[in-house]
Amino acid sequence: MWLKPEEILLKNAFKLWVTEKDNEYFVLQRRRGYGEGAGGLTGLLVGTLDAVLDSTSKVAPFRILHHTSDSQVYWSIACGVTKEEIVQHWDWLLQNIMRTLSVFDSSEDITSFVQGKIRGLIAEEGKTSHKLEDDPEKFREAYLRFENWFALPPEEKLVTYYACSYWKGKVPCQGWLYLSTNFLCFYSYLLGAEVKLVISWDEIWRLEKTSNVILTESIHVMAHGEDHYFSMLLHLNETFVIMEQLADYSIKRLFDKEAFEKERALSDPLQITKRGLEAHAKSEQFRTFFRLPKEENLLEVHESFLWVPFSHFNTLGKICLSENYLCFASQDGSQCHIIIPMREVVNVEKPDTSSRALTVYVRGKRALRFTEVRDYQRLATSIRSRCGISASPQHSASAEVIRGECQSLINHFEDNPDDVTLMVGQKDSSKAVSTEALMTVFHPQDVENLDPKMLKEKMKEQSWNIHFSEYGRGTSMFFTRKTRDLIVRGVPEALRGELWMLFSGAVNDMATHPGYYTELVEQSLGTSTLATDEIERDLHRSLPEHPAFQSDTGISALRRVLTAYAYRNPKIGYCQAMNILTSVLLLYAKEEEAFWLLVAVCERMLPDYFNRRIIGALVDQAVFEDLIRVNLPQLVENMTDLSLFSSVSLSWFLTLFISVLPIESAVNVVDCFFYDGIKAILQLGLAVLDYNMEALISCHDDAEAVTILNKFFDSVTNKDSPLPPTVQQAPVNNNDKSTRLNVDISELIRESYEKYGSIRSEDVESSRKRNRLFVIQTLEDTTKQNVIRVVSQEVKFTPAQLDELYNLFKRQLFLSCYWTMKSPALLHHDPSLAYLEQYQLGFQQFSVLFSLLEPWAFCTNKSTLSLWVFRLIDENQDGLVNFKEFCCALDNLYCGSFTNKLKFLFKLHLPPAFTGSPLHVQEEILPSFFATPGGSPHLSRRPDFDLPEDGVIKKSPERGRGKVDLQAYLKQWQNEILRKEETIKDLPRINQGQFIQFSKTLYNIFHGDPEEESLYRAVAHVTSLLLRMEEVGRRLQEPSSPAASSKPTLPDGEDQAPLTSKSSDTPSPQEVGPEVPGEDWSFSFEQVLASLLNEPEIVHFFDKHVDIQSKMTQAQVAQLKLTGNSK
């Protein structure tokens, strides 16, 4: 065990220890009287002394000391009862500490680092995976340190913490790593030097485990273009998994809402715990392996043996129980696994208590016997409760016949292992629109045809029937290596639809949703959306050479399936490539089955493939690149740029090779995909590149490489296909057919499994998670660059300043989402919108950010000013401000001329920005907008700026169920193009109430400025001058009106009183004259501008340069704190 470092002076100690191993920094010693060479008088005395001492005084027989060459002081850091234990500690020091110590310059630094590391190990030693949360006192202490060191908002949830080393340059800093819901934090305080690091999970580009010469194993984090390394972790794998889960959670929640919406377990960021993350990860892995619906969660896991009839022995594995499924997988995962829907279970018995056995009876006289189940009684109770089976005597009487039959069947299996017969399970016959697969309708098999291809097809069917008799058929079939071997050899045409349904898990979806598809078809028929328009456009592009889609039968079925799915999932709606995939599904599956197969592919097997950004396909492209580097090093050496293969492979992933291979060959690929998932597609892609290795290496450019691959795909055939020539797709280039050798698809698939079958599905999923961060961040960076390119044409800020402003703008949006379960701001982000509209701020977020960046540092009433600015720049009046609108406002305030700045302030006091009475301005900052005069509802909002449940006002063509008015969009864009630049003459006049508020705003802006008093006097002088000018003008215009002349707005001798009183003291905004009812005088912008130009102090104030860079630097520090305080 590791010990708290204590000082030992060996020079004055007795010779009680023998050195076993030593090096420059550590010594491993054995106490005399133990182990080899224990004889002798000294050893006898020491052994006797240790024997008579009580347990609290005994000394461990082995220990490790730390020392440096220039010191006589040794430090005890570890001890052990056995040699194996102390050697394990010694090896850990050699592997993790020794290389690190060489970077230190002084002995003091080395000793300080070792002591800090050992203390960190002690804090974690013996800690279970749940100890931090199960030990409230220690976790509370850590949470208090977390709060004190990082000053994050109190809502931030600490998930867990670890002792580790953070590499700052070439020197490691020993400290603590804190992982919270939204942040990765590190703190170290060593020898007076404090190191503090805070990184948002949504800012991370790379997260991976690495190793190098100095660091044997560490965690690499890349954010903001900087690399961070964390090492010396006692539980490195556990730490990495938690970090990966938190990063994935943040990315899905903030960037990829479509994938996050169904994550009910993680919907509330305030309830995220380490245990919850671990349970969620296990459930996700469970669903992926067994192809179960997303609603299923792993509830119980039991280790047991399962009697496997076809192998005649018990295989060790794990029982996994969810809400609606009982699953079993052998230890290696590939030997066999089985999925039993709870709806198929008819009874559960515990026949043998001594062997802790459990027998599950399913429909079709099937029985599964589990033995050596540690908690078999609990498992039996759980299965019964989920199946609705009662253990009462009444039920036992009704189930007597079933038990008798199943027990006799089990006895038959055990007594006659060579005569295993498993009955075929019952199938659900849910009503569908079309009850036949298109291949059956258009190409019925000729039973009298005895040509070689048909004979081979019959032999395949016979092989599968034998397999069914041994391993079962339907939902309770055993999946084994033999099943995969049959898949690789090819699935018979007659069984293809059934097996696709089984392997994909779609059979369970259809069985649990009877009549669902028919209802969807009825509801979606006649709807007109953007999705239906795109579907109609692509219907006749789907396998146009196939007779099934040259008739109304096939086209109508395809239309119904695609329209029903777009209606079911409007966020995906319809995307290109879905039509090609669905066409092939309809050839071999009934219409309703094809629908559920499409659901399985889009929502489980190929997540995030079929959306506007095809994130899933881009992620798998990155995974494919990684596999190329590992498995095809010769290709990598000769082609340094692998982006070509990423581009070419996009269609491979999106259409499962259907778009590049002839249909009779592509269906064999689809067979493997439904059994092995994306792993089968990746393997085949590697096999294709391997087959064309020499040609690809010798090609001169990308175009030649693409030509080589296209010619190869044209040469792929299926020599065993029973399809007639009218259906098979002939190669495109027939001229050079004689010079090109054909490749059989079965041989190509077999080769892919032989060479690359060792690729594990778990490794693929891990690579997906790792690359997903980078892909999404790359897409986000592309969005940022496009936005900056557009905005830079409108403002004077440099690209670097715009980049920093964009980061602040985006971070402000995310900060408002960090601690809220259903933040309205999350609804603002829609990746399908135009670049400028993807990130938009509501008033609350805008107010915080504007207060940090506005140039008038001492301005009072900032919230009121923020509200007016927000209303002014919200050009489309939807209650949201995009980055361009935000930057144009700042550009006016920072880089604009005196006239432009004044015009901006002038417009703030006109509708729609200023809408209230100057005596009730404070009421405008209430958390709800109100309609402007004239009934314009453009800022009518709910309290706290909550949005409607269905989101914000749409600004782009909707992908869901609403019809898009494209003409309105075209007209809007035309108006924006033809819009003339506003001149000062176009501005309306400012009335009395607005002018008084304008004067108050100037007072507020000048507050705190060194020239505050002179600026106040200048404003008072300008106000007085304007009032006099207006009074003279009114008298000149109305010479015959005694009423007007006898009732001046501000009489002579008193007009300056409210504006210039106490000129020696600092005036206040309230000293501006009160509103006089019944008057309608007003000023034009030219009058205000001309008057202010005569005041050098005011002109100098607005022309004075304000450094926005320093403002942005301060905002980065204050943004998080200010957001937390505003909540």
Side-chain angles (χ1 to χ4, degrees):
M1 61 181 292
W2 300 106
L3 300 176
K4 181 180 178 181
E6 293 185 358
E7 186 176 318
I8 297 176
L9 292 176
L10 290 186
K11 188 171 71 172
N12 300 324
F14 293 104
K15 301 293 184 179
L16 301 180
W17 296 86
V18 178
T19 298
E20 297 269 295
K21 299 180 180 180
D22 66 341
N23 57 42
E24 188 178 358
Y25 301 109
F26 301 102
V27 178
L28 189 156
Q29 294 185 330
R30 170 180 54 83
R31 192 168 175 84
R32 292 185 182 275
Y34 295 90
E36 298 178 2
L41 181 60
T42 306
L44 181 62
L45 290 175
V46 173
T48 303
L49 180 65
D50 290 345
V52 297
L53 292 175
D54 59 34
S55 59
T56 59
S57 303
K58 285 183 180 179
V59 179
F62 299 95
R63 70 179 182 180
I64 297 177
L65 307 178
H66 163 65
H67 74 103
T68 56
S69 57
D70 55 351
S71 174
Q72 296 294 322
V73 178
Y74 284 67
W75 299 84
S76 63
I77 59 174
C79 68
V81 178
T82 65
K83 189 171 183 179
E84 291 75 17
E85 179 185 4
I86 203 68
V87 168
Q88 185 178 3
H89 284 61
W90 178 264
D91 292 340
W92 190 91
L93 290 171
L94 294 182
Q95 295 173 12
N96 295 275
I97 297 288
M98 283 296 296
R99 297 179 183 178
T100 306
L101 298 182
S102 62
V103 304
F104 291 95
D105 296 327
S106 67
S107 300
E108 290 79 9
D109 291 344
I110 292 173
T111 300
S112 179
F113 174 81
V114 172
Q115 290 178 352
K117 185 60 195 173
I118 297 303
R119 291 191 180 97
L121 293 173
I122 292 172
E124 291 189 23
E125 190 172 38
K127 182 180 66 176
T128 64
S129 60
H130 304 308
K131 184 176 179 180
L132 292 179
E133 291 181 33
D134 292 342
D135 190 343
E137 191 59 35
K138 286 190 175 182
F139 193 81
R140 175 176 168 77
E141 291 176 6
Y143 179 70
L144 291 176
R145 293 196 301 268
F146 172 73
E147 276 190 326
N148 181 48
W149 286 339
F150 303 106
L152 295 173
E155 295 87 358
E156 183 63 14
K157 168 80 174 177
L158 177 63
V159 176
T160 187
Y161 63 99
Y162 299 94
C164 74
S165 293
Y166 167 62
W167 288 76
K168 188 176 182 181
K170 294 184 178 181
V171 180
C173 305
Q174 181 64 30
W176 291 93
L177 177 69
Y178 293 88
L179 307 179
S180 65
T181 307
N182 299 293
F183 299 96
L184 179 155
C185 305
F186 176 84
Y187 184 86
S188 172
Y189 186 83
L190 193 63
L191 301 176
E194 184 182 55
V195 177
K196 188 183 297 185
L197 179 70
V198 179
I199 302 174
S200 301
W201 292 114
D202 55 82
E203 297 170 344
I204 293 178
W205 281 62
R206 290 274 188 199
L207 179 62
E208 56 193 355
K209 289 189 288 187
T210 60
S211 60
N212 54 40
V213 177
I214 298 178
L215 301 176
T216 53
E217 202 170 15
S218 62
I219 297 176
H220 171 219
V221 176
M222 188 177 82
H224 297 301
E226 298 181 359
D227 294 310
H228 307 274
Y229 292 91
F230 301 91
S231 63
M232 308 297 178
L233 286 150
L234 189 61
H235 303 285
L236 187 137
N237 289 330
E238 176 188 303
T239 308
F240 178 75
V241 169
I242 294 294
M243 292 171 71
E244 194 175 53
Q245 291 168 354
L246 286 169
D248 184 61
Y249 163 76
S250 180
I251 288 292
K252 283 184 178 178
R253 182 167 183 256
L254 300 175
F255 295 118
D256 192 17
K257 299 189 297 299
E258 294 177 5
F260 178 75
E261 286 178 347
K262 294 187 179 180
E263 305 280 1
R264 293 176 297 174
L266 303 178
S267 58
D268 188 355
L270 301 182
Q271 302 301 322
I272 298 297
T273 62
K274 179 182 174 185
R275 187 176 302 176
L277 288 170
E278 290 173 345
H280 178 264
K282 290 178 181 178
S283 293
E284 192 172 32
Q285 187 178 8
F286 164 71
R287 289 191 298 265
T288 302
F289 183 83
F290 291 107
R291 306 277 171 79
L292 299 180
K294 289 188 175 181
E295 295 76 19
E296 298 299 314
N297 294 293
L298 182 60
L299 303 178
E300 298 178 25
V301 178
H302 301 267
E303 193 171 89
S304 74
F305 288 90
L306 171 64
W307 169 251
V308 184
F310 52 85
S311 298
H312 321 313
F313 69 90
N314 287 306
T315 181
L316 177 63
K318 291 185 178 180
I319 302 172
C320 300
L321 187 69
S322 69
E323 291 87 348
N324 299 297
Y325 295 90
L326 172 67
C327 305
F328 176 87
S330 60
Q331 277 189 332
D332 61 0
S334 61
Q335 185 177 356
C336 77
H337 71 271
I338 186 170
I339 305 166
I340 307 169
M342 293 295 185
R343 63 181 184 275
E344 299 289 327
V345 178
V346 295
N347 197 19
V348 181
E349 286 294 328
K350 297 176 290 183
D352 190 356
T353 306
S354 60
S355 63
R356 295 178 294 184
L358 190 74
T359 304
V360 178
Y361 303 100
V362 298
R363 292 176 185 172
K365 298 182 180 180
R366 298 273 316 274
L368 298 167
R369 183 171 181 175
F370 301 97
T371 56
E372 299 301 327
V373 184
R374 179 175 299 178
D375 200 352
Y376 68 99
Q377 292 182 343
R378 176 188 170 190
L379 177 60
T381 303
S382 298
I383 297 174
R384 287 197 186 104
S385 64
R386 299 190 182 284
C387 298
I389 300 173
S390 172
S392 62
Q394 293 85 350
H395 177 78
S396 298
S398 63
E400 189 65 28
V401 177
I402 297 176
R403 286 202 308 272
E405 291 179 351
C406 292
Q407 186 60 48
S408 63
L409 190 62
I410 293 174
N411 295 334
H412 180 72
F413 288 159
E414 295 176 346
D415 298 336
N416 304 281
D418 296 331
D419 186 23
V420 178
T421 56
L422 298 178
M423 302 297 291
V424 178
Q426 298 177 1
K427 293 184 182 179
D428 188 6
S429 58
S430 300
K431 182 180 178 182
V433 176
S434 176
T435 57
E436 294 292 337
L438 294 180
M439 195 65 77
T440 305
V441 176
F442 286 87
H443 306 289
Q445 291 189 8
D446 186 359
V447 294
E448 298 180 357
N449 186 359
L450 299 179
D451 63 44
K453 290 186 177 181
M454 284 305 301
L455 285 175
K456 194 162 187 177
E457 187 76 3
K458 293 298 181 183
M459 290 174 63
K460 285 184 181 179
E461 289 185 28
Q462 185 63 26
S463 298
W464 276 98
N465 288 329
I466 294 172
H467 183 80
F468 292 148
S469 66
E470 293 180 356
Y471 299 90
R473 187 170 186 173
T475 54
S476 300
M477 185 179 83
F478 282 92
F479 296 80
T480 66
R481 289 193 182 97
K482 188 174 180 181
T483 312
R484 178 182 280 116
D485 292 340
L486 288 174
I487 289 289
V488 171
R489 279 186 272 173
V491 174
E493 298 281 318
L495 297 175
R496 189 159 269 140
E498 176 187 344
L499 293 176
W500 286 358
M501 290 288 291
L502 178 63
F503 296 150
S504 66
V507 62
N508 294 314
D509 292 330
M510 192 171 77
T512 54
H513 296 83
Y516 176 79
Y517 175 67
T518 306
E519 293 177 5
L520 274 185
V521 171
E522 293 174 354
Q523 294 170 3
S524 61
L525 282 178
T527 59
S528 180
T529 66
L530 183 62
T532 57
D533 293 343
E534 293 176 346
I535 290 171
E536 289 297 327
R537 183 189 63 203
D538 289 346
L539 283 177
H540 295 279
R541 303 177 185 176
S542 310
L543 300 184
E545 70 285 343
H546 198 287
F549 298 101
Q550 295 171 359
S551 69
D552 185 62
T553 302
I555 293 295
S556 297
L558 181 60
R559 178 187 293 112
R560 286 192 293 267
V561 172
L562 292 175
T563 305
Y565 185 79
Y567 191 85
R568 163 191 165 87
N569 193 341
K571 294 198 172 173
I572 292 180
Y574 169 78
C575 293
Q576 286 187 347
M578 289 175 66
N579 61 319
I580 298 174
L581 176 61
T582 308
S583 301
V584 175
L585 299 179
L586 282 168
L587 289 178
Y588 295 98
K590 300 173 184 178
E591 188 174 319
E592 183 178 7
E593 292 175 343
F595 169 79
W596 286 113
L597 284 170
L598 183 62
V599 170
V601 171
C602 294
E603 299 177 11
R604 287 201 303 272
M605 302 186 71
L606 296 179
D608 294 336
Y609 261 61
F610 301 99
N611 55 32
R612 297 291 173 178
R613 299 198 292 177
I614 56 171
I615 291 175
L618 296 176
V619 170
D620 284 342
Q621 279 183 312
V623 174
F624 187 52
E625 274 195 39
D626 291 344
L627 292 175
I628 292 174
R629 292 188 179 93
V630 174
N631 295 280
L632 301 174
Q634 186 180 354
L635 186 64
V636 176
E637 290 174 5
N638 291 273
M639 299 185 69
T640 55
D641 185 11
L642 299 180
S643 59
L644 163 67
F645 301 121
S646 295
S647 303
V648 171
S649 64
L650 182 60
S651 63
W652 303 356
F653 296 124
L654 284 173
T655 65
L656 308 179
F657 283 92
I658 297 171
S659 63
V660 294
L661 286 174
I663 183 64
E664 65 274 9
S665 300
V667 291
N668 287 37
V669 179
V670 179
D671 296 338
C672 298
F673 167 75
F674 277 122
Y675 190 82
D676 275 323
I678 194 61
K679 172 178 175 286
I681 305 299
L682 294 168
Q683 289 176 186
L684 185 59
L686 291 174
V688 168
L689 296 182
D690 188 21
Y691 194 94
N692 295 276
M693 176 85 72
E694 295 181 3
L696 289 172
I697 291 175
S698 61
C699 65
H700 299 88
D701 53 33
D702 292 353
E704 187 177 351
V706 172
T707 302
I708 290 171
L709 292 174
N710 288 338
K711 287 183 177 180
F712 171 77
F713 287 128
D714 288 340
S715 69
V716 176
T717 62
N718 188 348
K719 62 183 181 181
D720 298 330
S721 175
L723 297 179
T726 55
V727 175
Q728 297 189 22
Q729 295 178 0
V732 177
N733 300 320
N734 291 320
N735 297 331
D736 58 342
K737 183 176 181 181
S738 58
T739 61
R740 186 180 57 247
L741 296 176
N742 289 333
V743 182
D744 184 65
I745 185 63
S746 297
E747 291 298 319
L748 187 62
I749 291 175
R750 182 183 58 78
E751 186 175 339
S752 73
Y753 273 90
E754 288 178 355
K755 288 187 175 181
Y756 310 109
S758 59
I759 297 173
R760 299 168 63 245
S761 298
E762 294 81 1
D763 295 336
V764 172
E765 290 300 321
S766 177
S767 182
R768 273 179 161 181
K769 287 183 179 179
R770 183 175 65 254
N771 285 288
R772 185 182 185 83
L773 287 173
F774 186 77
V775 167
I776 290 184
Q777 294 288 13
T778 301
L779 291 173
E780 291 294 313
D781 191 63
T782 301
T783 298
K784 177 172 72 172
Q785 298 305 323
N786 286 321
V787 169
I788 290 175
R789 187 175 64 252
V790 172
V791 175
S792 62
Q793 301 173 6
E794 307 286 335
V795 299
K796 297 183 180 64
F797 294 134
T798 65
Q801 290 174 334
L802 286 174
D803 186 283
E804 204 164 340
L805 281 172
Y806 185 90
N807 292 335
L808 288 169
F809 186 88
K810 180 177 168 182
R811 191 181 189 215
Q812 188 61 51
L813 175 68
F814 285 170
L815 284 173
S816 65
C817 310
Y818 279 170
W819 305 283
T820 308
M821 184 163 60
K822 291 184 178 180
S823 170
L826 280 177
L827 298 175
H828 300 174
H829 177 225
D830 186 352
S832 68
L833 295 176
Y835 288 125
L836 281 172
E837 311 299 330
Q838 288 189 21
Y839 290 107
Q840 302 174 92
L841 298 183
F843 172 68
Q844 296 288 8
Q845 300 97 44
F846 172 83
S847 179
V848 173
L849 186 57
F850 184 78
S851 65
L852 291 170
L853 294 175
E854 55 88 15
W856 305 302
F858 306 101
C859 176
T860 58
N861 294 331
K862 289 188 177 183
S863 56
T864 305
L865 186 64
S866 297
L867 176 61
W868 295 339
V869 174
F870 182 83
R871 286 174 169 171
L872 177 63
I873 66 178
D874 182 17
E875 296 180 359
N876 52 8
Q877 301 179 348
D878 66 341
L880 298 171
V881 167
N882 62 37
F883 183 67
K884 179 181 176 182
E885 295 166 339
F886 179 76
C887 284
C888 288
L890 286 182
D891 183 64
N892 258 324
L893 300 178
Y894 277 95
C895 307
S897 63
F898 174 78
T899 303
N900 287 337
K901 290 178 181 178
L902 193 63
K903 183 170 71 172
F904 187 85
L905 290 173
F906 188 85
K907 290 168 68 175
L908 288 182
H909 300 83
L910 297 171
F914 179 78
T915 58
S917 164
L919 298 182
H920 303 89
V921 171
Q922 292 298 324
E923 296 179 4
E924 293 195 75
I925 64 173
L926 294 174
S928 61
F929 287 131
F930 44 85
T932 56
S936 175
H938 68 278
L939 287 179
S940 179
R941 303 293 301 278
R942 297 185 178 189
D944 297 322
F945 300 95
D946 284 342
L947 298 163
E949 293 181 1
D950 60 347
V952 299
I953 300 174
K954 299 293 181 183
K955 298 186 186 178
S956 71
E958 189 176 356
R959 290 176 290 163
R961 304 171 186 173
K963 184 66 176 176
V964 179
D965 187 357
L966 297 178
Q967 294 296 328
Y969 280 93
L970 292 173
K971 187 175 181 180
Q972 177 184 344
W973 295 334
Q974 184 180 19
N975 291 337
E976 291 179 359
I977 294 172
L978 299 177
R979 185 174 54 188
K980 295 187 298 183
E981 185 177 352
E982 184 182 56
T983 65
I984 60 176
K985 293 184 179 180
D986 298 327
L987 294 174
R989 297 174 69 86
I990 192 169
N991 63 30
Q992 178 182 351
Q994 294 163 348
F995 177 74
I996 292 176
Q997 189 56 49
F998 175 77
S999 302
K1000 289 183 177 181
T1001 299
L1002 290 178
Y1003 279 116
N1004 291 332
I1005 289 175
F1006 300 148
H1007 178 70
D1009 190 87
E1011 304 295 330
E1012 178 181 359
E1013 189 169 342
S1014 62
L1015 288 168
Y1016 280 2
R1017 284 197 295 270
V1019 172
H1021 182 265
V1022 168
T1023 306
S1024 175
L1025 178 62
L1026 286 171
L1027 290 174
R1028 288 183 177 182
M1029 289 170 58
E1030 178 62 19
E1031 182 63 25
V1032 170
R1034 287 169 58 85
R1035 291 176 179 175
L1036 292 175
Q1037 291 175 6
E1038 302 176 8
S1040 60
S1041 176
S1045 59
S1046 62
K1047 295 182 179 180
T1049 304
L1050 294 173
D1052 291 341
E1054 297 181 9
D1055 53 353
Q1056 275 189 318
L1059 296 172
T1060 58
S1061 60
K1062 304 180 182 178
S1063 59
S1064 60
D1065 299 327
T1066 301
S1068 65
Q1070 285 72 21
E1071 293 171 7
V1072 178
E1075 179 180 2
V1076 181
E1079 301 296 336
D1080 57 354
W1081 51 264
S1082 61
F1083 301 120
S1084 67
F1085 177 71
E1086 292 96 324
Q1087 290 176 303
V1088 176
L1089 175 63
S1091 301
L1092 290 174
L1093 282 172
N1094 290 324
E1095 300 296 334
E1097 295 87 353
I1098 296 178
V1099 175
H1100 174 72
F1101 176 84
F1102 282 106
D1103 283 342
K1104 183 169 55 179
H1105 174 72
V1106 181
D1107 183 18
I1108 190 173
Q1109 190 62 48
S1110 61
K1111 280 280 186 178
M1112 290 190 292
T1113 303
Q1114 296 170 9
Q1116 290 175 354
V1117 178
Q1119 193 176 30
L1120 181 61
K1121 184 176 180 180
L1122 191 57
T1123 301
N1125 293 337
S1126 67
K1127 289 182 67 66

